[in-house]
Every structure is written in structure tokens, then in C-alpha cells.
Amino acid sequence: ANMTYHESSNRLLTGGGDGRLGVYDLRRAGLKLENLSDQQEDELLSLAVVKGGRKVVVGTQDGIIDIWSWGKWEDLSDRFPGHPQSVDAMLKIDEDTICTGS
């Protein structure tokens, strides 16, 4: 499980063992769940916001990187397989580059 903060939208994004991506609106008092994705097949371990806030990339236990389009939280828009192990860590280098680790 992991979380990241998207400053320009004032949103907290979370990924967890239940396989769901959560989006929390921090503009309101308290921590209010704004959106929750459909349950994915695997645990969500790491995440980053890229492409100028248009995409959210999420590392899974199966070594797949799931990709969501911002604002379309129900289901992911793409998947990028090929990581040899789980994607436990993710670091955004710039808007087009992430570094991942197991």
C-alpha cells in the first residue's frame, strides 16, 4: 500500500491491499473519499502522478504497472507488464519518466 499527494488538485491518492485506487479531496475539512476505483486483480503497491497530472501509474504485486486517466477512476485505461517482480517502489523522475523497484 502507498499514497501520493497531487498538489495542483489538492488530492491524496491511495493504493492498497484491497486492489482499489482511492482519491481523497483535501480541499474540504477532514479526509473525504471522493472516488474509489473498481477492484483490481492485484494489490496496489506504489503510485505516481505523471504527464502533467493527466495519468496515474500504479505498481502491482504481479509486476504490472496499471495506468489510470485522471478523473476516470472506475477502471484503468492501460497496463504495462514486464517487471520481473512486484513493483514495490516508484519514483517520478519527470513527467515522462518513472523509476521502479522491487
Side-chain angles (χ1 to χ4, degrees):
N2 202 344
M3 63 182 78
T4 192
Y5 175 67
H6 186 247
E7 188 172 1
S8 66
S9 70
N10 203 21
R11 300 291 194 281
L12 178 70
L13 290 90
T14 63
D18 63 354
R20 294 179 187 268
L21 178 67
V23 181
Y24 293 85
D25 185 352
L26 302 180
R27 295 175 298 175
R28 302 177 184 151
L31 191 63
K32 180 179 179 341
L33 180 63
E34 184 177 68
N35 288 290
L36 191 62
S37 74
D38 291 342
Q39 189 170 14
Q40 303 303 304
E41 298 172 9
D42 204 4
E43 184 176 354
L44 308 181
L45 302 175
S46 56
L47 43 97
V49 179
V50 296
K51 297 290 187 183
R54 294 187 319 269
K55 298 289 181 180
V56 177
V57 290
V58 180
T60 69
Q61 190 167 3
D62 281 344
I64 296 170
I65 296 175
D66 293 340
I67 304 170
W68 269 269
S69 294
W70 189 270
K72 298 178 181 177
W73 306 116
E74 293 78 27
D75 200 9
L76 53 97
S77 62
D78 206 355
R79 302 183 90 198
F80 189 78
H83 207 273
Q85 296 177 2
S86 61
V87 185
D88 297 322
M90 185 176 295
L91 176 66
K92 173 180 159 180
I93 303 298
D94 59 35
E95 294 302 322
D96 299 315
T97 311
I98 57 170
C99 181
T100 62
S102 297

